[in-house]
PDB file of all heavy atoms in Angstrom:
ATOM      1  N   GLN V 162     -63.028 -34.852 -27.484  1.00 91.00           N
ATOM      2  CA  GLN V 162     -62.409 -33.604 -27.945  1.00 91.00           C
ATOM      3  C   GLN V 162     -61.023 -33.487 -27.330  1.00 91.00           C
ATOM      4  O   GLN V 162     -60.791 -33.960 -26.224  1.00 91.00           O
ATOM      5  CB  GLN V 162     -63.252 -32.396 -27.525  1.00 91.00           C
ATOM      6  CG  GLN V 162     -64.588 -32.301 -28.206  1.00 91.00           C
ATOM      7  CD  GLN V 162     -65.345 -31.051 -27.782  1.00 91.00           C
ATOM      8  OE1 GLN V 162     -64.842 -30.208 -27.069  1.00 91.00           O
ATOM      9  NE2 GLN V 162     -66.579 -30.946 -28.236  1.00 91.00           N
ATOM     10  N   PHE V 163     -60.121 -32.847 -28.044  1.00 93.00           N
ATOM     11  CA  PHE V 163     -58.800 -32.607 -27.462  1.00 93.00           C
ATOM     12  C   PHE V 163     -58.315 -31.216 -27.835  1.00 93.00           C
ATOM     13  O   PHE V 163     -58.684 -30.662 -28.871  1.00 93.00           O
ATOM     14  CB  PHE V 163     -57.788 -33.667 -27.906  1.00 93.00           C
ATOM     15  CG  PHE V 163     -57.603 -33.792 -29.396  1.00 93.00           C
ATOM     16  CD1 PHE V 163     -56.685 -32.988 -30.079  1.00 93.00           C
ATOM     17  CD2 PHE V 163     -58.326 -34.718 -30.132  1.00 93.00           C
ATOM     18  CE1 PHE V 163     -56.506 -33.099 -31.447  1.00 93.00           C
ATOM     19  CE2 PHE V 163     -58.159 -34.841 -31.507  1.00 93.00           C
ATOM     20  CZ  PHE V 163     -57.243 -34.030 -32.169  1.00 93.00           C
ATOM     21  N   LYS V 164     -57.491 -30.665 -26.970  1.00 91.00           N
ATOM     22  CA  LYS V 164     -56.950 -29.327 -27.178  1.00 91.00           C
ATOM     23  C   LYS V 164     -55.623 -29.225 -26.447  1.00 91.00           C
ATOM     24  O   LYS V 164     -55.514 -29.625 -25.288  1.00 91.00           O
ATOM     25  CB  LYS V 164     -57.923 -28.270 -26.647  1.00 91.00           C
ATOM     26  CG  LYS V 164     -57.444 -26.834 -26.808  1.00 91.00           C
ATOM     27  CD  LYS V 164     -58.468 -25.873 -26.222  1.00 91.00           C
ATOM     28  CE  LYS V 164     -57.998 -24.433 -26.332  1.00 91.00           C
ATOM     29  NZ  LYS V 164     -58.979 -23.487 -25.710  1.00 91.00           N
ATOM     30  N   ALA V 165     -54.610 -28.706 -27.142  1.00 93.00           N
ATOM     31  CA  ALA V 165     -53.302 -28.559 -26.517  1.00 93.00           C
ATOM     32  C   ALA V 165     -53.349 -27.497 -25.430  1.00 93.00           C
ATOM     33  O   ALA V 165     -53.852 -26.404 -25.631  1.00 93.00           O
ATOM     34  CB  ALA V 165     -52.253 -28.187 -27.568  1.00 93.00           C
ATOM     35  N   GLU V 166     -52.837 -27.843 -24.269  1.00 91.00           N
ATOM     36  CA  GLU V 166     -52.787 -26.906 -23.159  1.00 91.00           C
ATOM     37  C   GLU V 166     -51.435 -26.181 -23.165  1.00 91.00           C
ATOM     38  O   GLU V 166     -50.583 -26.427 -24.014  1.00 91.00           O
ATOM     39  CB  GLU V 166     -52.979 -27.662 -21.837  1.00 91.00           C
ATOM     40  CG  GLU V 166     -54.324 -28.377 -21.745  1.00 91.00           C
ATOM     41  CD  GLU V 166     -54.461 -29.178 -20.474  1.00 91.00           C
ATOM     42  OE1 GLU V 166     -53.467 -29.302 -19.727  1.00 91.00           O
ATOM     43  OE2 GLU V 166     -55.570 -29.678 -20.218  1.00 91.00           O
ATOM     44  N   LYS V 167     -51.277 -25.299 -22.207  1.00 86.00           N
ATOM     45  CA  LYS V 167     -50.003 -24.589 -22.070  1.00 86.00           C
ATOM     46  C   LYS V 167     -48.882 -25.606 -21.930  1.00 86.00           C
ATOM     47  O   LYS V 167     -48.974 -26.553 -21.170  1.00 86.00           O
ATOM     48  CB  LYS V 167     -50.058 -23.693 -20.821  1.00 86.00           C
ATOM     49  CG  LYS V 167     -48.885 -22.751 -20.692  1.00 86.00           C
ATOM     50  CD  LYS V 167     -49.074 -21.844 -19.489  1.00 86.00           C
ATOM     51  CE  LYS V 167     -47.893 -20.878 -19.344  1.00 86.00           C
ATOM     52  NZ  LYS V 167     -48.072 -19.983 -18.172  1.00 86.00           N
ATOM     53  N   GLY V 168     -47.823 -25.423 -22.692  1.00 90.00           N
ATOM     54  CA  GLY V 168     -46.741 -26.391 -22.674  1.00 90.00           C
ATOM     55  C   GLY V 168     -46.863 -27.424 -23.781  1.00 90.00           C
ATOM     56  O   GLY V 168     -46.001 -28.294 -23.925  1.00 90.00           O
ATOM     57  N   GLY V 169     -47.949 -27.332 -24.555  1.00 95.00           N
ATOM     58  CA  GLY V 169     -48.102 -28.244 -25.685  1.00 95.00           C
ATOM     59  C   GLY V 169     -48.534 -29.647 -25.312  1.00 95.00           C
ATOM     60  O   GLY V 169     -48.247 -30.600 -26.035  1.00 95.00           O
ATOM     61  N   VAL V 170     -49.219 -29.804 -24.183  1.00 96.00           N
ATOM     62  CA  VAL V 170     -49.651 -31.130 -23.734  1.00 96.00           C
ATOM     63  C   VAL V 170     -51.115 -31.368 -24.100  1.00 96.00           C
ATOM     64  O   VAL V 170     -51.967 -30.525 -23.865  1.00 96.00           O
ATOM     65  CB  VAL V 170     -49.469 -31.289 -22.211  1.00 96.00           C
ATOM     66  CG1 VAL V 170     -50.022 -32.629 -21.737  1.00 96.00           C
ATOM     67  CG2 VAL V 170     -48.001 -31.168 -21.839  1.00 96.00           C
ATOM     68  N   VAL V 171     -51.370 -32.523 -24.689  1.00 96.00           N
ATOM     69  CA  VAL V 171     -52.731 -32.969 -24.997  1.00 96.00           C
ATOM     70  C   VAL V 171     -52.992 -34.226 -24.184  1.00 96.00           C
ATOM     71  O   VAL V 171     -52.172 -35.150 -24.195  1.00 96.00           O
ATOM     72  CB  VAL V 171     -52.892 -33.291 -26.499  1.00 96.00           C
ATOM     73  CG1 VAL V 171     -54.228 -33.982 -26.755  1.00 96.00           C
ATOM     74  CG2 VAL V 171     -52.797 -32.030 -27.334  1.00 96.00           C
ATOM     75  N   HIS V 172     -54.096 -34.253 -23.461  1.00 94.00           N
ATOM     76  CA  HIS V 172     -54.395 -35.473 -22.701  1.00 94.00           C
ATOM     77  C   HIS V 172     -55.878 -35.787 -22.761  1.00 94.00           C
ATOM     78  O   HIS V 172     -56.706 -34.901 -22.968  1.00 94.00           O
ATOM     79  CB  HIS V 172     -53.923 -35.351 -21.250  1.00 94.00           C
ATOM     80  CG  HIS V 172     -54.645 -34.305 -20.456  1.00 94.00           C
ATOM     81  ND1 HIS V 172     -55.855 -34.523 -19.837  1.00 94.00           N
ATOM     82  CD2 HIS V 172     -54.322 -33.021 -20.184  1.00 94.00           C
ATOM     83  CE1 HIS V 172     -56.244 -33.438 -19.224  1.00 94.00           C
ATOM     84  NE2 HIS V 172     -55.341 -32.494 -19.419  1.00 94.00           N
ATOM     85  N   ALA V 173     -56.198 -37.060 -22.585  1.00 95.00           N
ATOM     86  CA  ALA V 173     -57.597 -37.494 -22.652  1.00 95.00           C
ATOM     87  C   ALA V 173     -57.724 -38.904 -22.093  1.00 95.00           C
ATOM     88  O   ALA V 173     -56.732 -39.645 -21.990  1.00 95.00           O
ATOM     89  CB  ALA V 173     -58.092 -37.480 -24.093  1.00 95.00           C
ATOM     90  N   GLY V 174     -58.948 -39.262 -21.740  1.00 95.00           N
ATOM     91  CA  GLY V 174     -59.237 -40.636 -21.361  1.00 95.00           C
ATOM     92  C   GLY V 174     -59.573 -41.418 -22.619  1.00 95.00           C
ATOM     93  O   GLY V 174     -60.332 -40.942 -23.468  1.00 95.00           O
ATOM     94  N   VAL V 175     -59.008 -42.599 -22.754  1.00 96.00           N
ATOM     95  CA  VAL V 175     -59.221 -43.384 -23.981  1.00 96.00           C
ATOM     96  C   VAL V 175     -59.872 -44.735 -23.704  1.00 96.00           C
ATOM     97  O   VAL V 175     -59.791 -45.654 -24.513  1.00 96.00           O
ATOM     98  CB  VAL V 175     -57.891 -43.592 -24.747  1.00 96.00           C
ATOM     99  CG1 VAL V 175     -57.434 -42.290 -25.371  1.00 96.00           C
ATOM    100  CG2 VAL V 175     -56.806 -44.170 -23.841  1.00 96.00           C
ATOM    101  N   GLY V 176     -60.537 -44.850 -22.569  1.00 96.00           N
ATOM    102  CA  GLY V 176     -61.213 -46.100 -22.256  1.00 96.00           C
ATOM    103  C   GLY V 176     -61.105 -46.428 -20.781  1.00 96.00           C
ATOM    104  O   GLY V 176     -60.568 -45.644 -19.990  1.00 96.00           O
ATOM    105  N   LYS V 177     -61.632 -47.569 -20.410  1.00 96.00           N
ATOM    106  CA  LYS V 177     -61.600 -48.031 -19.028  1.00 96.00           C
ATOM    107  C   LYS V 177     -60.691 -49.253 -18.897  1.00 96.00           C
ATOM    108  O   LYS V 177     -60.514 -50.021 -19.845  1.00 96.00           O
ATOM    109  CB  LYS V 177     -63.015 -48.390 -18.555  1.00 96.00           C
ATOM    110  CG  LYS V 177     -63.956 -47.196 -18.459  1.00 96.00           C
ATOM    111  CD  LYS V 177     -63.568 -46.275 -17.319  1.00 96.00           C
ATOM    112  CE  LYS V 177     -64.557 -45.155 -17.114  1.00 96.00           C
ATOM    113  NZ  LYS V 177     -64.204 -44.280 -15.973  1.00 96.00           N
ATOM    114  N   ALA V 178     -60.143 -49.435 -17.706  1.00 96.00           N
ATOM    115  CA  ALA V 178     -59.242 -50.561 -17.471  1.00 96.00           C
ATOM    116  C   ALA V 178     -59.936 -51.901 -17.688  1.00 96.00           C
ATOM    117  O   ALA V 178     -59.285 -52.917 -17.943  1.00 96.00           O
ATOM    118  CB  ALA V 178     -58.660 -50.488 -16.057  1.00 96.00           C
TER     119      ALA V 178
END
Side-chain angles (χ1 to χ4, degrees):
Q162 292 182 6
F163 58 87
K164 180 181 178 182
E166 299 177 352
K167 189 176 180 180
V170 176
V171 170
H172 65 84
V175 289
K177 294 290 186 178

